[in-house]
Amino acid sequence: MGLDDRKLEVLRAIVEDYVATQEPVGSKALVERHALGVSPATVRNDMAVLEDEGYIRQPHTSAGRVPTDRGYRLFVDRLSRVKPLSPAERRAIERFLVGAVDLDDVVHRAVRLLAQLTRQVAVVQYPSLTRSAVRHLELVPVSTTRLLLVMITDTGRVEQRVVELPGPVDPEEITDLRRVLNATLAGVKLVDTPPLVQGLVERAEPQAKATMSTLVSVLLETLVERHEERIALAGTSNLARMGPLDLSTGALRPILEALEEEVILLKLFDEVKAGSARVRIGDENEVVDLRSTSVVSTGYGPGATVVGGMGVVGPTRMDYPGTIATVRAVARYLGEMLAQH
């Protein structure tokens, strides 16, 4: 890499000043604001080397310099120190999430909180059905020929479907069906349930085979095979804070369109792990329409088990240390809540 400690400190100062001021940074300002221990002329020479190496660039509108994607990458990898959250910030996160009444409430509180704290676009994936296990199955009679099938997972997610039965079913039969379903499937990962579900018809009593066959069909078609992934989004208005140096002309519309596609948003959480943040800067993003942004993401779940992902999308000019700390903290609290409930 060929950068000595002083040039790395100059790069750190440029990144921190540019993120704070949103203005290109000049050598005089760096000397005034940072204890670099050298003259403006030396800083100018260091900046020239950093520019030649591709870590900073000079916008045509100013004599100051701004970091490039490569400069941000070096900053994140080698220079940034994750800011510890203050006790007040930790208490605020805990209080905001603790009052949630169910999984939907938890996810929506988490995504709003993340958007407010980071002032970026926040994205939270609901606990994935592919990573969940069955906690309980409930059958609720709607009429003599119609049931509501409710599945509750170990991550608190609730899925429900209306089942049209082939004929009238009495309450005793419903109780038996409920008992058999839970005895067979409770505690089993959803990805492991298909052979068990298919075996339910064979083991059913003769008078219950037609009803069980209908239930099995609904289970396989909707709750097991259609692993619907859900996403919560908040803070898209924060994109308005991206300035002319953050975006090329017309770049905002593709970002907004990308954020409307759940398939694209789910890609943000590929390979996420609990406890560590993944940072993709500019062209490192697989999604072309997000290559003028940075994405900070992590996984969450009870303990070391990852059941979903969360993160933020914002300009490459973001407060990386603060954003990484916030994303990790909210993910940790969300994982603890899932573990408790």
Side-chain angles (χ1 to χ4, degrees), residues 208-286:
K209 276 192 186 295
T211 301
M212 182 64 85
S213 179
T214 304
L215 281 172
V216 162
S217 177
V218 173
L219 275 168
L220 287 174
E221 289 174 10
T222 61
L223 300 184
V224 175
E225 292 175 353
R226 281 182 54 217
H227 294 300
E228 286 186 358
E229 301 296 354
R230 295 167 59 195
I231 291 284
L233 189 71
T236 49
S237 60
N238 288 327
L239 288 173
R241 295 172 45 247
M242 294 177 76
L245 291 179
D246 297 321
L247 291 172
S248 56
T249 305
L252 187 56
R253 181 186 291 274
I255 295 172
L256 289 169
E257 289 174 351
L259 292 173
E260 290 178 356
E261 296 291 333
E262 286 204 352
V263 173
I264 288 177
L265 294 178
L266 287 168
K267 284 184 179 178
L268 303 183
F269 307 124
D270 287 347
E271 301 174 23
V272 290
K273 298 176 183 176
S276 63
R278 184 180 183 190
V279 182
R280 280 166 287 188
I281 300 169
D283 286 342
E284 295 172 357
N285 284 297
E286 296 171 21

Side-chain angles (χ1 to χ4, degrees), residues 47-255:
M47 290 172 74
V49 173
L50 290 169
E51 189 169 6
D52 289 342
E53 293 288 330
Y55 294 109
I56 60 176
R57 64 183 177 87
Q58 182 177 24
H60 63 277
T61 53
S62 166
R65 304 298 193 277
V66 301
T68 62
D69 289 356
R70 189 179 184 206
Y72 285 124
R73 181 79 266 166
L74 183 60
F75 175 80
V76 169
D77 288 347
R78 289 191 54 191
L79 303 174
S80 63
R81 304 181 185 96
V82 175
K83 296 176 184 173
L85 296 185
S86 69
E89 287 171 321
R90 292 183 182 281
R91 283 195 300 273
I93 293 173
E94 191 172 6
R95 278 200 304 269
F96 197 80
L97 294 179
V98 159
V101 295
D102 57 24
L103 183 65
D104 274 333
D105 196 14
V106 168
V107 170
H108 283 102
R109 282 172 181 250
V111 77
R112 291 199 311 273
L113 179 65
L114 205 50
Q116 289 168 11
L117 292 176
T118 63
R119 297 198 297 166
Q120 313 291 359
V121 181
V123 187
V124 176
Q125 177 190 17
Y126 276 75
S128 172
L129 284 177
T130 59
R131 295 169 176 155
S132 302
V134 178
R135 175 180 288 171
H136 181 72
L137 287 160
E138 188 57 59
L139 299 176
V140 182
V142 178
S143 70
T144 56
T145 57
R146 182 180 292 176
L147 291 176
L148 182 65
L149 173 62
V150 182
M151 180 182 69
I152 304 168
T153 72
D154 61 344
T155 53
R157 187 160 166 176
V158 178
E159 295 289 322
Q160 53 189 38
R161 301 290 185 275
V162 173
V163 183
E164 299 288 347
L165 301 174
V169 178
D170 62 43
E172 246 180 62
E173 190 174 343
I174 292 172
T175 300
D176 287 341
L177 287 168
R178 183 188 299 117
R179 178 183 52 76
V180 170
L181 287 176
N182 282 292
T184 305
L185 301 175
V188 179
K189 291 283 184 187
L190 286 185
V191 292
D192 299 327
T193 55
L196 297 176
V197 170
Q198 289 163 346
L200 286 169
V201 178
E202 297 170 14
R203 298 200 308 276
E205 296 294 330
Q207 71 275 14
K209 276 192 186 295
T211 301
M212 182 64 85
S213 179
T214 304
L215 281 172
V216 162
S217 177
V218 173
L219 275 168
L220 287 174
E221 289 174 10
T222 61
L223 300 184
V224 175
E225 292 175 353
R226 281 182 54 217
H227 294 300
E228 286 186 358
E229 301 296 354
R230 295 167 59 195
I231 291 284
L233 189 71
T236 49
S237 60
N238 288 327
L239 288 173
R241 295 172 45 247
M242 294 177 76
L245 291 179
D246 297 321
L247 291 172
S248 56
T249 305
L252 187 56
R253 181 186 291 274
I255 295 172

